[in-house]
Amino acid sequence: MRWYVVASLLTVLTSSQGILTTLSQSNGGYKYDYATVPFLAEVFKLLVSSVFLWREMQNSPPPKMTMDWKSVRLYPIPSIIYLIHNNVQFATLTYVDTSTYQIMGNLKIVTTGILFRLFLKRKLTNLQWMAIMLLAVGTTTSQVKGCGEASCDSFFSSPIQGYLFGALSACLSALAGVYTEFLMKKNNDSLYWQNVQLYTFGSIFNMGRLLMDDFRSGFEEGPWWQRLFNGYNMTTWLVVLNLGTTGLLVSWLMKYADNIVKVYATSMAMLLTMVLSVILFNFKPTVQLFLGIIICMMSLHMYFAPPSTLVDLPLTVKPVSESVSEVPAERKTDS
């Protein structure tokens, strides 16, 4: 499967993630325990990866699977980071609207670029660094609140808690993504075997989170497995399915592409999110939001386009020796 096909699917699913989560709310809150959604999504990814791994093992030769403890012990680390990140996402959406949530998520590309350089030793060109900074400017522009039709008491259009949670979510996402790419590419193990390890630990840590919540509440509502599906409806199940499928697509990109492709794919999702928010939530996009999206699109083109399409390169001039050597031949032919 081509990476751009996977990236396009990721764009569509990511754009609907915030909208589905918002639709699953009731009176600004959740009737269900939102900590159960990441847990069920991890179980879904584990089951799907196990089925594909089983199918691979029926082939000859069987897939490569490193079972050394020194390798396996590295897989709980991204699970812990993703556990925190998934729950921060829900907290963010209680303070900001879906378009703001999606645009703030693009801050992850800045931290991803930095972590690329620091930890994965990936070198980016000057144009690519400029594109990353341009994306940061675009996301900032989209957050500026106009002073014509509303009060200017606050520079931000949403509560400061929402922006803090959004920034934390972006940093955690970049950190987890870069580390996961390191795990995926450090050997030639089967993608599905690597996924099974990731999602096994992910399920365990999310289960631990649910158990800790029970102890904090003194089991007032009973153990987590008895209320696992309380408050669930069709929209909530779509959130679980969306989150799980998105995770599978991301793992594919980590194995066969890189974090920058993944992050830019999710940044494109903000365009679709804005359109759907206008239709579903009567969201009124501001001029600043449109300007921010245009700047982000320019950043996207600047990062991935060949340098020759961005700057006018000087024409190649033939060496003097070649020009001189061609003159006698032409004269000889004329004679």
Side-chain angles (χ1 to χ4, degrees):
M1 187 182 296
R2 302 287 185 179
W3 68 265
Y4 50 80
V5 175
V6 177
S8 299
L9 291 173
L10 182 60
T11 298
V12 174
L13 290 176
T14 304
S15 66
S16 61
Q17 190 175 97
I19 292 176
L20 288 173
T21 303
T22 301
L23 289 174
S24 70
Q25 295 179 0
S26 178
N27 298 323
Y30 302 102
K31 288 186 176 180
Y32 58 92
D33 184 358
Y34 63 79
T36 62
V37 173
F39 169 71
L40 292 174
E42 291 295 315
V43 172
F44 170 77
K45 291 184 287 185
L46 177 59
L47 292 175
V48 172
S49 299
S50 299
V51 170
F52 279 104
L53 178 62
W54 175 80
R55 291 183 60 182
E56 272 193 344
M57 295 178 66
Q58 308 306 310
N59 300 330
S60 181
K64 180 182 178 183
M65 297 187 295
T66 302
M67 298 185 181
D68 182 32
W69 170 245
K70 291 183 179 180
S71 175
V72 175
R73 68 182 181 181
L74 299 176
Y75 284 84
I77 298 176
S79 298
I80 297 174
I81 302 174
Y82 277 124
L83 167 64
I84 301 172
H85 171 258
N86 288 336
N87 289 281
V88 168
Q89 282 183 314
F90 282 92
T92 304
L93 282 168
T94 60
Y95 292 101
V96 301
D97 55 70
T98 54
S99 292
T100 302
Y101 161 78
Q102 193 62 59
I103 293 171
M104 288 188 63
N106 291 301
L107 291 172
K108 71 185 72 167
I109 196 168
V110 180
T111 50
T112 298
I114 296 173
L115 293 177
F116 252 42
R117 188 69 182 90
L118 294 177
F119 296 107
L120 296 182
K121 307 301 180 183
R122 299 289 183 88
K123 292 185 177 180
L124 301 176
T125 65
N126 290 336
L127 282 175
Q128 289 174 325
W129 279 115
M130 290 174 62
I132 289 175
M133 297 308 298
L134 193 61
L135 181 60
V137 172
T139 55
T140 303
T141 301
S142 66
Q143 303 305 311
V144 177
K145 187 175 182 179
C147 298
E149 57 187 29
S151 173
C152 294
D153 293 339
S154 175
F155 178 77
F156 298 103
S157 58
S158 296
I160 188 64
Q161 295 94 325
Y163 296 106
L164 292 176
F165 277 122
L168 177 59
S169 176
C171 292
L172 290 172
S173 177
L175 177 60
V178 169
Y179 188 84
T180 301
E181 182 178 346
F182 163 75
L183 287 180
M184 291 293 187
K185 293 179 176 177
K186 75 184 185 69
N187 55 38
N188 294 322
D189 279 6
S190 164
L191 169 65
Y192 304 116
W193 166 240
Q194 292 175 318
N195 280 349
V196 166
Q197 296 175 85
L198 277 175
Y199 304 141
T200 297
F201 286 111
S203 300
I204 292 173
F205 282 109
N206 276 277
M207 187 187 304
R209 156 69 195 278
L210 294 172
L211 191 59
M212 288 178 61
D213 288 345
D214 286 344
F215 277 106
R216 288 198 192 100
S217 63
F219 291 89
E220 292 180 356
E221 300 179 1
W224 63 268
W225 58 85
Q226 291 183 1
R227 51 182 171 80
L228 182 61
F229 306 119
N230 288 354
Y232 270 59
N233 53 32
M234 181 60 68
T235 306
T236 313
W237 282 111
L238 287 176
V239 174
V240 173
L241 183 62
N242 181 292
L243 191 60
T245 307
T246 299
L248 292 171
L249 293 177
V250 168
S251 69
W252 192 96
L253 288 177
M254 294 298 97
K255 183 74 170 179
Y256 301 111
D258 58 43
N259 267 280
I260 298 295
V261 173
K262 186 251 314 187
V263 172
Y264 264 109
T266 55
S267 72
M268 291 298 295
M270 72 179 176
L271 300 174
L272 186 56
T273 300
M274 186 193 69
V275 174
L276 294 177
S277 295
V278 171
I279 297 173
L280 296 175
F281 307 120
N282 295 321
F283 175 74
K284 295 181 180 180
T286 63
V287 174
Q288 293 89 338
L289 180 59
F290 279 114
L291 290 175
I293 290 175
I294 292 173
I295 295 173
C296 291
M297 292 295 293
M298 293 172 60
S299 168
L300 176 70
H301 178 68
M302 183 181 292
Y303 190 93
F304 288 102
S308 59
T309 64
L310 300 174
V311 295
D312 293 329
L313 298 177
L315 297 176
T316 304
V317 181
K318 292 184 178 181
V320 177
S321 59
E322 292 185 7
S323 302
V324 173
S325 62
E326 290 176 2
V327 174
E330 294 175 355
R331 290 180 177 175
K332 186 176 179 179
T333 304
D334 295 337
S335 62

